[in-house]
Amino acid sequence: MPDALDRQIIRALQCSARAPFARIAEAVGASEQTVARRYQALVRSGVVRVHGRVVPASYGQVEWVARIACRPDRVGALAEALVRRPEVSFARLASGGSEIICLLRSSAGDSGDTVLLKELPRTSAVLNLHIDMILHDFGTGLSAEWNGYGGRLTAEQQALLTAGTAPPSGPYREITDEDRPLLAALAEDGRATHARLAAETGWSKGRVLRRLAALEESGTLAYDVDLLSEPLGHHLPPRSGSGSRRTGWRRSARRSPGTTRSPSPVPSADRTTSWPSPSAVTPTTSTAS
């Protein structure tokens, strides 16, 4: 289980997702090598995942939270199908593996009900569906994050981590075709180095730095820190009769407009989705990706 230092590193990432390891090390009172080693261990074990995303409001979209109650023996295949959909950005198994909680995007004028109900299979795998629009995010930085995982940071530590940065001030920047490789790399690893981003885009490091600054300062590009709750000591009790499935999360790599990188094949937008039929579904235990 992650210890006190690991939890402070996690809180530091929530405070400033792309802060250099040297700065995090100074804030938490450890060596740079120790912080880098601890972070890589957290990533390998699936406890932490940092990734970049284009804020939906920057291109006229809204986000919805969907809770899908499923038969436990079908939930794995359905979750895998959901994360292959371009409008689904995040999916998490909960309630002992009998429910999927996911985030999806739609144009501001569309109905979230329509987006899902047109695509989800009408089979016994789906027992119930509830959708709510996200109207407002409360808080900024660490004030927007749940602090039940521990690793509290003082005001001085937070100031050190965020030194030289300012809250997004807008207006949103337009995403261009040239941005797609950059956004794809950040969707896969929000802490990708400038050297790697330069290699992925074919740009110079200077151009990468300038474009990142423009997207971040305008609020167009943001970073999420996904956490697995169980290794951090917070276990979700299974529903009655649902068995002892572990809770896990999967995030679609297609977070941003034009992003093509994905850990698995993604159906094209003009092709009918092949949802798992009852006979084709096999029980699957969730794992962190």
Side-chain angles (χ1 to χ4, degrees):
M1 180 177 290
D3 62 15
L5 177 58
D6 291 324
R7 292 168 192 267
Q8 279 213 312
I9 292 171
I10 289 170
R11 290 297 281 174
L13 293 170
Q14 291 176 326
C15 183
S16 181
R18 284 187 59 85
F21 286 129
R23 185 178 297 177
I24 296 176
E26 184 179 354
V28 302
S31 70
E32 181 178 354
Q33 293 79 7
T34 297
V35 168
R37 186 173 63 251
R38 293 292 191 97
Y39 170 75
Q40 295 299 337
L42 289 168
V43 170
R44 286 194 303 270
S45 63
V47 175
V48 173
R49 185 177 183 185
V50 180
H51 51 87
R53 64 184 181 91
V54 174
V55 175
S58 68
Y59 51 98
Q61 290 198 327
V62 294
E63 284 189 304
W64 305 76
V65 177
R67 298 176 69 100
I68 307 166
C70 312
R71 288 183 53 179
D73 61 338
R74 309 279 175 81
V75 68
L78 182 57
E80 291 287 356
L82 280 170
V83 296
R84 286 171 170 78
R85 297 298 303 157
E87 68 270 31
V88 175
S89 58
F90 176 92
R92 179 187 180 97
L93 302 187
S95 299
S98 62
E99 183 177 64
I100 302 170
I101 301 174
C102 63
L103 288 178
L104 60 141
R105 299 180 298 258
S106 70
S107 297
D110 292 343
S111 164
D113 292 334
T114 301
V115 173
L116 269 184
L117 292 178
K118 282 184 176 180
E119 301 292 342
L120 285 174
R122 295 183 179 276
T123 70
S124 59
V126 178
L127 304 178
N128 192 25
L129 175 64
H130 186 83
I131 307 177
D132 291 298
M133 180 190 287
I134 298 176
L135 298 177
H136 179 70
D137 289 329
F138 291 90
T140 58
L142 283 183
S143 67
E145 301 289 348
W146 185 58
N147 59 12
Y149 294 126
R152 180 179 177 275
L153 299 177
T154 65
E156 291 76 13
Q157 288 173 306
Q158 294 179 45
L160 176 60
L161 290 164
T162 58
T165 62
S169 56
Y172 293 129
R173 296 298 184 100
E174 181 181 355
I175 299 299
T176 69
D177 288 344
E178 289 186 324
D179 292 319
R180 292 179 181 178
L182 176 70
L183 298 174
L186 291 170
E188 184 175 289
D189 179 8
R191 288 185 58 81
T193 65
H194 295 135
R196 181 189 162 194
L197 294 175
E200 294 284 345
T201 58
W203 299 350
S204 67
K205 286 186 182 180
R207 184 178 177 185
V208 167
L209 285 166
R210 289 191 299 272
R211 190 55 177 164
L212 280 179
L215 294 175
E216 292 169 357
E217 291 169 4
S218 66
T220 307
L221 175 63
Y223 300 94
D224 286 343
V225 180
D226 286 336
L227 303 175
L228 276 182
S229 59
E230 288 189 349
L232 293 168
H234 293 270
H235 298 266
L236 296 177
R239 287 184 176 180
S240 177
S242 65
S244 57
R245 243 170 236 275
R246 63 172 295 200
T247 301
W249 53 261
R250 290 181 173 86
R251 182 174 291 271
S252 168
R254 300 190 67 176
R255 291 284 305 182
S256 310
T259 298
T260 57
R261 182 175 302 218
S262 177
S264 50
V266 179
S268 62
D270 58 354
R271 180 171 47 182
T272 301
T273 303
S274 177
W275 294 96
S277 63
S279 60
V281 175
T282 56
T284 305
T285 301
S286 68
T287 57
S289 58

